[in-house]
Amino acid sequence: MATEPRKRRAGDLEPKPRLWAALQDGAKLTEILADFYTRVYADPRLSPFFEGVTKQRAIEKQYSFLRDKFCGTNEYFGDRPRNAHHWMVISDELFDYRERLMESCMRRAGLSDEMIAEWRSVEEVFRKQIVKSAPIPRKVRGIALPLEGYEPLELTVGCLCDGCEREVSVGEKIWYHVRTGKSFCSTCNPSDRANRSASGQ
């Protein structure tokens, strides 16, 4: 069944149907993202930002986000760029480095210069939300959350525990660090360990 376009809001990007067609309705997008994240995970400058996140999960999230932007749909339920990158200190130079790597993957997949420019124009919109010299708080409904400490979360997608590296399933409760986004299963709960240490247990 075809996905219904979402109602447009002020500030929404214009859909890019020609780019989506050039990406073969997503098939070539998957190819490009698989190539890109294979290189990212092997890159000493970029890989630290993906600790504890599987490559497949990174591909799936970016695919969903870009499909919404290119098609004008509303099926991506992850954090928006500001919140997703809130703890990451990323310079303009590092942002450009990442963009050059992505562009090289687009070219390897045979995307034309015109379509590369279309794609790059979308990513450039989010530069101001991603580039910064220090971490910033996540915002939920306009409220800034603390940069330190742990919060509980019930998983809607699986992940790996950053403590014991076991796979944590959908529906399980984790504790995530509000600045770094690192996630811990109930057994490895660092908040609980800190409380026991403080009480001398």
Side-chain angles (χ1 to χ4, degrees):
M1 181 179 2
T3 302
E4 289 293 323
R6 63 186 164 115
K7 292 183 179 179
R8 294 192 55 72
R9 300 167 298 182
D12 278 350
L13 300 176
E14 289 292 334
K16 299 191 177 295
R18 291 178 62 242
L19 175 56
W20 190 243
L23 290 169
Q24 301 169 0
D25 294 331
K28 192 175 287 288
L29 176 58
T30 298
E31 175 189 338
I32 292 169
L33 292 178
D35 182 21
F36 174 70
Y37 282 106
T38 295
R39 295 169 189 279
V40 164
Y41 275 66
D43 188 289
R45 298 187 66 188
L46 299 176
S47 59
F49 294 107
F50 294 89
E51 287 181 7
V53 179
T54 66
K55 184 172 67 172
Q56 185 60 35
R57 180 60 184 150
I59 292 169
E60 290 169 356
K61 286 182 69 175
Q62 188 70 352
Y63 178 96
S64 180
F65 176 76
L66 290 174
R67 180 181 59 187
D68 267 12
K69 299 308 172 189
F70 296 161
C71 298
T73 53
N74 193 25
E75 297 181 345
Y76 172 73
F77 295 106
D79 280 335
R80 296 314 190 224
R82 183 199 181 280
N83 275 352
H85 299 83
H86 78 102
W87 61 274
M88 302 179 190
V89 177
I90 298 175
S91 64
D92 276 304
E93 189 276 331
L94 186 58
F95 187 94
D96 290 339
Y97 177 82
R98 184 262 186 205
E99 290 299 284
R100 288 193 299 272
L101 181 59
M102 176 63 87
E103 183 173 333
S104 70
C105 295
M106 296 180 203
R107 292 192 185 283
R108 271 192 293 276
L111 214 57
S112 70
D113 287 346
E114 182 183 5
M115 293 300 100
I116 289 172
E118 285 275 291
W119 183 331
R120 291 285 306 274
S121 72
V122 171
E123 297 197 332
E124 191 62 33
V125 166
F126 300 104
R127 180 186 290 264
K128 288 183 179 179
Q129 298 179 35
I130 294 172
V131 169
K132 54 194 168 298
S133 58
I136 58 175
R138 289 181 77 246
K139 282 190 175 180
V140 178
R141 293 187 290 276
I143 299 173
L145 301 180
L147 280 171
E148 297 298 337
Y150 296 87
E151 294 288 341
L153 178 71
E154 184 174 308
L155 285 183
T156 57
V157 294
C159 75
L160 295 178
C161 172
D162 284 309
C164 64
E165 298 186 348
R166 82 168 176 87
E167 186 173 343
V168 188
S169 302
V170 172
E172 285 192 58
K173 181 178 177 181
I174 62 164
W175 292 84
Y176 73 95
H177 191 273
V178 295
R179 176 173 58 81
T180 66
K182 288 193 173 185
S183 302
F184 300 87
C185 67
S186 296
T187 302
C188 295
N189 177 0
S191 179
D192 189 43
R193 288 203 309 269
N195 290 338
R196 290 199 302 269
S197 176
S199 64
Q201 296 180 9

